[in-house]
Amino acid sequence: MGCRDVHAATVLAFLSGTASVAGLLAAVLLPNWRQMRLYTFNKNEKNVTVYTGLWIKCARFDGSRDCVIYDPQWYTAVDQLDLRVLQFALPLSMATAVSALFLCLIGMCNTAFVSSVPNIKLARCLVNSAGCHLVAGLLFLLACAICLTPSIWVIFYNNYLNRKYEPVFSFDVSVFIAIASAGGLFFTSIMLFLWYCACKSSPSPFWQPLYPHAPSMHSYAAQPYSARSRLSAIEIDIPVVTHAS
C-alpha cells in the first residue's frame, strides 16, 4: 500500500488514540482513585471503605454497593495534593489528545482524498498531511506526559499517606486506567512518527511537513542555459583561427 493511501499505521493510530481518550474519560469520572479502609472491632458493625475520586467521595459498608455517605461536592474541598493536581492535569491531557485526534483525522482525509499536487491555498497556510500527522504525534506525546506524571505520583503519595497516618490507604483501579491510557497515547504518537519516517523519502513535496514554496512553482522552474548561450556577443563574433597541419 502506497503512502498516498490511508495507511494502516494512521488508522491504527487513530483507533488507539480514540481508545486512550475514552480510557482517560473513564478514569476522570470513576470515583476509584484512592481507597481508605476503616476497620471496626465491633462484631455487630461492618467495616467501611471510603472511595475517593477526583469529583466525588463515596463511603460503603463491606458487601454493599450503595453509598452510605455520598459527597458530590468533594471536588471543591479536595485536601489531597495529588488528586488536586489530577483535577487539572487529566482534563488538560484529554483536551490535548482530542486536538491531536482532530489533526490526525484531517491528515487522513488529506491523504485519501486530496490530489497528488497539494492545494496552493493549503500550501500557503503550511498545512498538509504529513504536517498534520507530525503535529498530532507531538500532541499525543504531550498528552501522555501530562497524564502519566501525576498518575504515577498518586502511587508514591499513597505511600506517603500510609507513613504519615496509618496504613489504611491504597490506590484504586482509576490509577491503572490512567497509566494504561497514557501508554496508549505514547503508542499512538510512535505509530504516527513511524508512518512519517517510512513515507518522508517520497520525492513529492506532499510529504514535507512545511512547503519550501508553493507547489505550483515547481512546473515553472527555469531550465539551465546551454554552454553557448552563456557566451557574450563579443565572444560569438570573434573568429576562431585554426592552423592546418
Side-chain angles (χ1 to χ4, degrees):
M1 181 181 294
C3 291
R4 286 286 307 151
D5 301 324
V6 178
H7 202 278
T10 60
V11 177
L12 180 60
F14 183 80
L15 295 177
S16 175
T18 304
S20 300
V21 172
L24 284 179
L25 181 62
V28 168
L29 297 180
L30 288 176
N32 298 98
W33 278 93
R34 175 168 291 125
Q35 292 184 12
M36 183 175 61
R37 188 168 177 81
L38 304 177
Y39 298 92
T40 178
F41 297 99
N42 190 344
K43 296 182 180 181
N44 297 325
E45 296 179 356
K46 295 182 179 180
N47 298 328
V48 176
T49 302
V50 180
Y51 297 89
T52 304
L54 302 182
W55 317 105
I56 61 175
K57 179 186 285 187
C58 174
R60 298 175 183 171
F61 288 117
D62 286 357
S64 175
R65 295 185 177 181
D66 298 329
C67 294
V68 179
I69 300 176
Y70 181 80
D71 185 6
Q73 302 297 324
W74 163 247
Y75 66 94
T76 61
V78 175
D79 56 354
Q80 300 169 16
L81 183 59
D82 57 340
L83 298 184
R84 178 66 75 182
V85 172
L86 282 167
Q87 284 182 337
F88 295 95
L90 290 190
L92 179 60
S93 177
M94 289 178 57
T96 305
V98 169
S99 301
L101 282 176
F102 182 70
L103 281 176
C104 185
L105 185 60
I106 293 178
M108 291 170 61
C109 292
N110 285 340
T111 305
F113 303 113
V114 176
S115 60
S116 58
V117 178
N119 192 340
I120 186 172
K121 295 181 180 180
L122 296 180
R124 290 174 180 175
C125 298
L126 302 180
V127 174
N128 57 6
S129 180
C132 289
H133 287 313
L134 282 179
V135 176
L138 292 175
L139 289 178
F140 276 124
L141 196 60
L142 177 62
C144 171
I146 296 174
C147 169
L148 185 62
T149 304
S151 298
I152 293 179
W153 185 34
V154 171
I155 300 175
F156 295 97
Y157 197 83
N158 188 80
N159 296 331
Y160 164 76
L161 291 177
N162 286 329
R163 291 193 304 268
K164 184 176 181 180
Y165 300 104
E166 294 182 6
V168 295
F169 298 95
S170 61
F171 50 88
D172 209 346
V173 65
S174 292
V175 178
F176 301 104
I177 296 177
I179 293 176
S181 299
L185 294 174
F186 181 76
F187 173 77
T188 303
S189 65
I190 293 298
M191 291 297 296
L192 291 176
F193 292 151
L194 289 177
W195 172 86
Y196 177 73
C197 290
C199 297
K200 69 177 182 179
S201 59
S202 175
S204 172
F206 191 82
W207 303 107
Q208 301 301 322
L210 299 178
Y211 295 124
H213 45 75
S216 60
M217 296 177 63
H218 288 283
S219 59
Y220 297 99
Q223 299 296 327
Y225 291 103
S226 63
R228 185 169 179 82
S229 65
R230 291 194 296 266
L231 298 176
S232 65
I234 298 176
E235 292 174 331
I236 295 174
D237 293 337
I238 295 176
V240 178
V241 180
T242 59
H243 298 279
S245 57

